[in-house]
Amino acid sequence: MKKLILPAVLLIGTMITSCNTTKKLYEAKEYDQIIMKEASRVCSGRIQPKKIDFIAASYHEANQADHERIQALKATGSPEVWPEIFERYCSMKGRNDALSCFPNEIKKRINYTKLNLDEELQMARNKAEAYLAAAISKNLGSTSPDVDQADKMIRQLEGINKDNSHLNGFKVKSMAKRYGDISRLMHVEVFKKQVGPNRDETVSFKETNGNLTATVTDHKLSKSATIKGKVNFIDPSNRRLLFSMPYEVSSNFEHNYSTIEGSREACSEQTLEGLRKQPVPFPTDDSLIEDAKQNLTNLIYQMIQ
C-alpha cells in the first residue's frame, strides 16, 4: 500500500503547490503570466476548477484594464499614444486567442466572447507607424539628434511592422549619426549575380506617301543585370554586427532605333526620328554589373540623405 500511497501524496502536493503559485501570480496582478502558463493546459484537457477561476478572473481584469487605458489614451488626442494603444490591443487579442480553444462549456462558464479586434488593430498599427516614422525622421534630421531615443523608436517601429518601408533607411541614418562615415562599417555580401541575354526585339510595318512606300523595322535593344545579397554594418570597435540589410539592385540597358527598306519620303516624322538614331553595341556583362553596384551605393546614400 505504501508504494501506492506515496505517488498520490506527491501528486496532491504538486497540485497544491501549483495552485499556490497561480494564486500568488494573481495576487501580484501578473494576469498574462497566468494565461500563458495555464491556458494551453486547459486546451489539452488538463482542467482544474480552481485554476479555471484564476484564468477567468485574470482574463477579464486584464482586458478591462487595457480597455480603460486605451480609452484614456485616446481621450488625450496626442499622436504619441498610438504605439501603446497598439500594444494593448495586441495583448487583448493574444489573450482572446489563447482562450479560444477552451471547451464550450468552460467558455460559457467564464463568460468568454470571441473578440473581433482586426479593425481596431489595423487602425492603431497605421497611426503608430505614422507617429513613429515622423518622430524618428524629425529626431534624426535635427542638428543635435538623440540617437539613443531614435534607436528605441526604431525598435518600436520594427516590432509593429518589420516590413515598414522607412525602416532600413532609419537604421542606416541612425548609424551615420552615431558613427559618422558608415562606409567603414559596411561589408557587402553578394549571393547572386545574373546577367540577361542580348535582346533585339523588332516590329515591322509599312508606311506610304502617295506612290512611295517603305518597310520600317523598329528595333528595341535591351539587356539587364541583377545583383542580390546583403549589406552588413559592423561596429569597427568590437566587430559586432549592428544591422543587416538585404538588397536587390539592377542595371538596365535599353536603346531604340529604326531601319527602313524603301523611300525615306514615305516615312512619318516619328519614323524619321527613329532613323536618326544609330544602333549601338550591347554593354558587356562586367560593365552592367559595375553599374548595378553603383546603384547599390546610390541606394545607401539616398537612405542616409
Side-chain angles (χ1 to χ4, degrees):
M1 289 296 294
K2 288 183 180 180
K3 290 183 180 180
L4 296 174
I5 292 172
L6 183 57
V9 170
L10 289 175
L11 178 60
I12 293 170
T14 300
M15 291 176 64
I16 292 172
T17 302
S18 178
C19 284
N20 285 340
T21 301
T22 303
K23 182 180 178 182
K24 288 178 181 178
L25 286 173
Y26 180 78
E27 291 171 347
K29 297 186 178 181
E30 299 289 350
Y31 303 133
D32 284 333
Q33 285 196 41
I34 293 172
I35 291 171
M36 290 173 59
K37 177 183 176 183
E38 302 296 344
S40 60
R41 297 177 181 179
V42 176
C43 293
S44 64
R46 290 177 286 176
I47 299 171
Q48 298 178 36
K50 287 185 178 180
K51 289 192 176 182
I52 294 294
D53 292 339
F54 282 123
I55 295 171
S58 297
Y59 173 77
H60 290 296
E61 291 190 36
N63 276 355
Q64 183 63 29
D66 279 340
H67 175 73
E68 291 176 359
R69 177 61 176 165
I70 287 170
Q71 297 310 308
L73 290 170
K74 287 182 177 180
T76 67
S78 173
E80 67 184 19
V81 302
W82 285 102
E84 183 181 345
I85 290 175
F86 174 73
E87 289 176 4
R88 288 183 177 272
Y89 273 131
C90 286
S91 295
M92 293 176 70
K93 185 179 186 304
R95 293 183 204 109
N96 199 247
D97 290 346
L99 272 61
S100 64
C101 58
F102 278 21
N104 288 333
E105 63 272 16
I106 293 180
K107 287 180 180 178
K108 185 175 180 180
R109 171 184 158 188
I110 67 175
N111 195 26
Y112 169 88
T113 302
K114 180 67 175 178
L115 299 178
N116 184 1
L117 297 173
D118 291 346
E119 186 175 336
E120 288 86 349
L121 269 170
Q122 189 58 54
M123 178 184 68
R125 175 183 284 110
N126 292 343
K127 292 193 174 186
E129 284 190 64
Y131 162 72
L132 288 169
I136 296 166
S137 182
K138 182 179 179 180
N139 184 340
L140 293 177
S142 68
T143 55
S144 300
D146 184 342
V147 181
D148 289 337
Q149 177 64 15
D151 286 344
K152 179 181 177 181
M153 290 190 291
I154 288 170
R155 288 192 294 271
Q156 276 187 287
L157 181 59
E158 187 168 27
I160 291 171
N161 181 7
K162 63 182 178 61
D163 297 319
N164 182 277
S165 60
H166 301 290
L167 197 57
N168 285 342
F170 286 148
K171 289 181 178 181
V172 172
K173 192 166 186 176
S174 175
M175 284 187 290
K177 295 291 185 181
R178 186 182 296 277
Y179 295 98
D181 179 14
I182 65 167
S183 61
R184 63 195 180 96
L185 311 180
M186 292 169 50
H187 178 263
V188 179
E189 290 188 56
V190 177
F191 300 153
K192 183 178 181 181
K193 296 179 183 178
Q194 185 172 5
V195 180
N198 298 345
R199 296 184 180 278
D200 183 358
E201 300 173 85
T202 61
V203 177
S204 297
F205 54 92
K206 289 186 179 295
E207 288 192 347
T208 61
N209 183 6
N211 294 326
L212 302 175
T213 62
T215 299
V216 182
T217 300
D218 286 342
H219 294 257
K220 179 180 178 181
L221 307 181
S222 62
K223 186 176 181 178
S224 63
T226 300
I227 306 176
K228 295 181 181 180
K230 69 177 180 178
V231 181
N232 297 319
F233 295 88
I234 300 172
D235 189 332
S237 64
N238 55 20
R239 307 306 298 168
R240 179 174 63 90
L241 178 65
L242 299 170
F243 162 54
S244 289
M245 181 184 74
Y247 70 84
E248 179 176 337
V249 290
S250 298
S251 175
N252 298 299
F253 162 78
E254 187 174 304
H255 179 70
N256 297 290
Y257 70 97
S258 300
T259 58
I260 64 166
E261 293 181 2
S263 174
R264 291 177 67 93
E265 286 76 15
C267 298
S268 65
E269 184 58 37
Q270 182 178 355
T271 296
L272 291 173
E273 179 65 28
L275 292 174
R276 286 190 277 269
K277 298 177 182 178
Q278 298 298 312
V280 297
F282 286 96
T284 65
D285 292 1
D286 288 343
S287 67
L288 277 178
I289 290 293
E290 287 303 314
D291 189 57
K293 289 180 180 178
Q294 183 58 50
N295 289 341
L296 173 60
T297 302
N298 295 340
L299 174 65
I300 295 170
Y301 178 77
Q302 289 171 7
M303 288 182 177
I304 297 171
Q305 296 303 307

